[in-house]
Amino acid sequence: GENVEQHPSTLSVQEGDSAVIKCTYSDSASNYFPWYKQELGKGPQLIIDIRSNVGEKKDQRIAVTLNKTAKHFSLHITETQPEDSAVYFCAAWGDTDKLIFGTGTRLQVFP
Amino acid sequence: KAGVTQTPRYLIKTRGQQVTLSCSPISGHRSVSWYQQTPGQGLQFLFEYFSETQRNKGNFPGRFSGRQFSNSRSEMNVSTLELGDSALYLCASSLNPAKEAFFGQGTRLTVV
């Protein structure tokens, strides 16, 4: 069935450094790729998304890139801050007509 | 604009009981999806409702059911609760299927 793999499972960076989280999807028909940030005790928050007709999208310190040929997409956070610490999930929407989530990445930003 | 509202936030139930969780989507959103989140399995899709019809279903037993009302509010029900049903249950609403989905805070269910 459709699968989304996410790496790494944990990521620790120094404040001000960049963080990159990568996801690979199996369904070549997938055409929508959102990223969510989940803080402790809260529901996932949509932070950025990309559709298959675009290769890159930026929103301030956050960017997402998509490589449809290789079937992978990545989240890039620049100039990280302690408040970026959270669990990040990637997801893909494809032929199964539902969002399939990656297993999450726990990002820790140390001051 | 109010976000997605889930009630209750916390629930403690005994094995064998049943439970009903509620989700009020963002105003104007017609699609509501439910997910189960556990440390071991991550975010697992339960089902999606659109215009009062179940349009998709995940791989969960029949003890898990849901419905959607004409005002787009949705409920999910779990019957004959098992210890393994302890999880955070999340609801997400979107304007239409395959559009941006926004999550509520979730309902933390503990089965003892």
Side-chain angles (χ1 to χ4, degrees):
Chain A
E2 188 174 1
N3 187 45
V4 176
E5 291 187 3
Q6 183 172 347
H7 299 281
S9 56
T10 59
L11 180 59
S12 297
V13 300
Q14 205 73 32
E15 183 177 359
D17 287 350
S18 295
V20 180
I21 303 170
K22 299 183 179 182
C23 288
T24 305
Y25 59 96
S26 59
D27 181 2
S28 56
S30 294
N31 56 16
Y32 174 60
F33 309 90
W35 284 88
Y36 288 87
K37 174 185 180 182
Q38 187 173 24
E39 296 174 301
L40 201 60
K42 296 186 177 180
Q45 175 195 1
L46 179 65
I47 56 172
I48 196 168
D49 57 10
I50 193 168
R51 294 196 181 265
S52 57
N53 57 345
V54 176
E56 184 176 3
K57 185 176 178 181
K58 284 183 182 179
D59 183 4
Q60 300 182 343
R61 297 185 297 108
I62 293 173
V64 57
T65 58
L66 171 65
N67 183 326
K68 284 214 72 179
T69 305
K71 291 193 284 187
H72 66 69
F73 57 113
S74 301
L75 177 72
H76 304 253
I77 306 174
T78 58
E79 299 171 27
T80 53
Q81 300 167 3
E83 50 265 39
D84 293 330
S85 297
V87 179
Y88 290 81
F89 292 95
C90 64
W93 181 289
D95 259 357
T96 55
D97 212 18
K98 61 191 180 203
L99 273 178
I100 303 297
F101 283 85
T103 48
T105 296
R106 183 173 299 279
L107 173 64
Q108 288 182 298
V109 180
F110 293 97
Chain B
K1 197 174 188 181
V4 179
T5 304
Q6 290 189 246
T7 56
R9 289 293 311 278
Y10 303 93
L11 265 179
I12 300 176
K13 289 286 187 178
T14 305
R15 268 182 305 173
Q17 287 187 312
Q18 73 163 16
V19 67
T20 299
L21 314 181
S22 179
C23 172
S24 293
I26 293 170
S27 178
H29 284 195
R30 297 187 298 160
S31 172
V32 173
S33 298
W34 288 89
Y35 295 83
Q36 181 194 67
Q37 186 176 31
T38 58
Q41 297 296 316
L43 277 153
Q44 300 287 312
F45 174 78
L46 280 156
F47 27 65
E48 179 191 8
Y49 286 87
F50 178 68
S51 295
E52 300 178 67
T53 302
Q54 186 181 87
R55 87 174 270 287
N56 208 341
K57 190 176 189 306
N59 298 322
F60 279 81
R63 300 185 296 108
F64 292 80
S65 63
R67 58 178 175 167
Q68 187 180 34
F69 302 95
S70 58
N71 61 358
S72 294
R73 190 177 71 85
S74 177
E75 287 181 348
M76 69 163 279
N77 184 277
V78 188
S79 62
T80 320
L81 283 166
E82 301 176 358
L83 294 178
D85 296 333
S86 295
L88 180 67
Y89 289 88
L90 292 159
C91 158
S93 83
S94 58
L95 204 58
N96 291 304
K99 294 294 185 184
E100 294 84 351
F102 300 90
F103 283 86
Q105 299 268 56
T107 294
R108 171 77 60 187
L109 172 65
T110 302
V111 182
V112 297

